[in-house]
Amino acid sequence: MSAEISILDLFLQASLLVKFVMLVLLGFSVACWAMIFQRRNALNNAQQQLKAFEDKFWGGTDLSKLYSEVSARQHITGIESLFVAGFKEFARLRKSSLSTPQAVVDGTHRAMRVALSREVDSLETNLPFMATVGSISPYIGLFGTVWGIMNSFIALGAVKQATLAMVAPGIAEALVATAMGLFAAIPAVMAFNRFSYHVERLENSYGNFMEEFSSILQRQSAAEQQA
């Protein structure tokens, strides 16, 4: 004897609460996959922008010319925002006769630090939601399973002669909730770990550029003062 029951049939036969749990988990899964594709594209673009800008920056381009080129754009993100914030503050402090080379560098470094914090916050968009889905989805699915199995045993206790055929469909319906919880949690956890690693690498690259750029501006400021 063979019995084929689809997931749709199990969903339709489940209790109202279990259906609600399944729909919540399905919504979590759809939202997570949309965020995964969006974050993947955003981080890939940030990595490509980083490489392209560093090639241009270390290629001997005049900093004033590079600043004019980058700041003329309407939307500045990534490492370019650090460069614009730092060079803009450097140019402002350099015009002040009271600013020492160290004060110029400190002010420039603070401006880039603020820009770095904003960029990291932007790169980490949606990552907390993925972490939340990855941690709570199995428990939400388990709650639906426990509720469904409890209802099955309550119904089983109301009959005089209990058989496996009577309780099996209810248990199967309940176990689908656990399966959906794992289906939502596993991709969310994997994506969170992978994207967190990429954000950390980008943050380290931004931090290294910020220190190197500060050193360049410090040498330039000291040379101008001596002149």
Side-chain angles (χ1 to χ4, degrees):
M1 181 178 63
S2 62
E4 295 183 359
I5 302 178
S6 66
I7 295 179
L8 180 60
D9 292 335
L10 293 176
F11 171 79
L12 295 176
Q13 296 171 13
S15 64
L16 184 61
L17 181 61
V18 177
K19 286 180 180 178
F20 176 74
V21 168
M22 291 181 183
L23 290 176
V24 169
L25 293 173
L26 180 62
F28 281 171
S29 180
V30 172
C32 267
W33 278 109
M35 293 176 184
I36 286 172
F37 288 117
Q38 190 272 336
R39 280 295 89 197
R40 185 192 64 177
N41 293 335
L43 293 175
N44 287 341
N45 291 337
Q47 185 65 43
Q48 293 173 4
Q49 182 199 51
L50 171 66
K51 185 177 184 307
F53 181 82
E54 284 188 332
D55 291 342
K56 185 180 297 185
F57 181 84
W58 297 111
T61 303
D62 181 72
L63 294 183
S64 299
K65 182 179 178 181
L66 182 60
Y67 171 76
S68 300
E69 177 186 340
V70 175
S71 59
R73 300 172 187 169
Q74 294 182 349
H75 189 57
I76 304 173
T77 59
I79 193 172
E80 292 181 345
S81 65
L82 272 70
F83 170 75
V84 169
F87 195 87
K88 182 179 180 180
E89 185 67 12
F90 171 76
R92 187 183 68 84
L93 293 174
R94 187 173 54 176
K95 295 178 181 179
S96 175
S97 59
L98 300 177
S99 297
T100 63
Q102 187 60 43
V104 172
V105 172
D106 290 343
T108 302
H109 196 275
R110 285 193 297 270
M112 288 192 292
R113 175 62 63 181
V114 172
L116 173 63
S117 178
R118 290 173 180 168
E119 289 304 315
V120 172
D121 287 342
S122 177
L123 292 174
E124 290 179 342
T125 302
N126 297 331
L127 293 190
F129 179 80
M130 294 181 191
T132 301
V133 171
S135 60
I136 69 173
S137 291
Y139 297 104
I140 295 177
L142 184 61
F143 170 74
T145 297
V146 171
W147 186 269
I149 291 177
M150 181 183 67
N151 287 337
S152 296
F153 279 108
I154 291 175
L156 188 64
V159 298
K160 295 182 180 180
Q161 187 174 1
T163 62
L164 182 61
M166 296 177 61
V167 71
I171 294 177
E173 297 163 10
L175 290 176
V176 172
T178 297
M180 292 186 67
L182 296 176
F183 180 77
I186 292 174
V189 172
M190 292 178 63
F192 172 79
N193 292 334
R194 180 175 178 83
F195 293 157
S196 296
Y197 170 72
H198 282 296
V199 170
E200 184 178 357
R201 287 187 58 188
L202 286 169
E203 184 178 3
N204 290 337
S205 298
Y206 291 169
N208 293 336
F209 169 79
M210 186 173 64
E211 297 299 330
E212 293 169 343
F213 188 37
S214 296
S215 298
I216 293 174
L217 296 180
Q218 184 178 26
R219 291 194 297 267
Q220 184 174 341
S221 179
E224 290 177 355
Q225 188 182 48
Q226 292 176 359

